[in-house]
Amino acid sequence: DAVKLDDAALIVARPGEVGYILLNKSVTLGEKGDHESSLRALERADQEIDGEHQPRLLFGARFNRAANLTRLGRADEAEPIVAQVRQLAERLRNDLDLVKILWLEGNTLAGLGRRVDAVVALEQVGRDLAHRELPFDYALASLDLALVYHKEGRLGEVRQLAAGDEDQ
């Protein structure tokens, strides 16, 4: 239903709103697990977003592109985009964006097979999110970390995460 509402909104949107609606549609599709359709919405959004006047939207679009590529097992394509997203986040100067970039970097590193670096990044993300009292994001980041631990055969650490051991 949310995708249908986004499509209806696109019909009546003013030019400056189209990028935002497409980004929203992309997020919805990604949450639904339809990462290919999410990427297609982002391709359209790229044509509509004025990065100079809408830097936050540009950040969101690039971030979501890299996240979708990583989720699709295409971390090698995501890697250069992640570097661009980090630069955008540093210009926007939002501390939470920087934590989310580290999270994206961790997942991308895991997708590239650089699991030791991924663990370092994702453990830091977990600490930062726990400190910020963002339980939903903390839980999601912990799941990502658990997947990396599992691939490394570190089942004790997976159990600690599942038990909510905050020493991780």
Side-chain angles (χ1 to χ4, degrees), residues 20-129:
Y20 175 79
I21 295 167
L22 288 167
L23 179 57
N24 189 64
K25 180 178 179 177
S26 155
V27 170
T28 301
L29 290 165
E31 291 293 324
K32 195 174 134 182
D34 188 353
H35 300 290
E36 291 289 351
S37 294
S38 179
L39 285 170
R40 284 192 295 277
L42 289 169
E43 286 172 16
R44 286 185 57 205
D46 280 346
Q47 297 169 8
E48 300 293 335
I49 295 172
D50 177 355
E52 187 70 29
H53 294 99
Q54 298 173 309
R56 186 92 194 127
L57 283 182
L58 181 62
F59 167 81
R62 297 277 165 80
F63 184 99
N64 287 339
R65 176 178 302 288
N68 278 301
L69 288 168
T70 298
R71 295 287 185 214
L72 286 168
R74 294 162 52 188
D76 56 326
E77 292 175 57
E79 187 177 25
I81 299 168
V82 172
Q84 294 171 0
V85 175
R86 174 165 283 289
Q87 290 176 346
L88 288 168
E90 288 170 355
R91 278 189 280 177
L92 290 171
R93 296 182 178 180
N94 179 323
D95 287 344
L96 187 55
D97 287 344
L98 295 172
V99 173
K100 289 185 177 187
I101 288 298
L102 185 58
W103 187 356
L104 179 61
E105 288 169 341
N107 282 324
T108 303
L109 289 164
L112 292 169
R114 295 175 49 197
R115 290 195 287 270
V116 172
D117 295 329
V119 166
V120 170
L122 292 171
E123 286 176 343
Q124 181 61 49
V125 168
R127 287 189 295 272
D128 288 347
L129 293 173

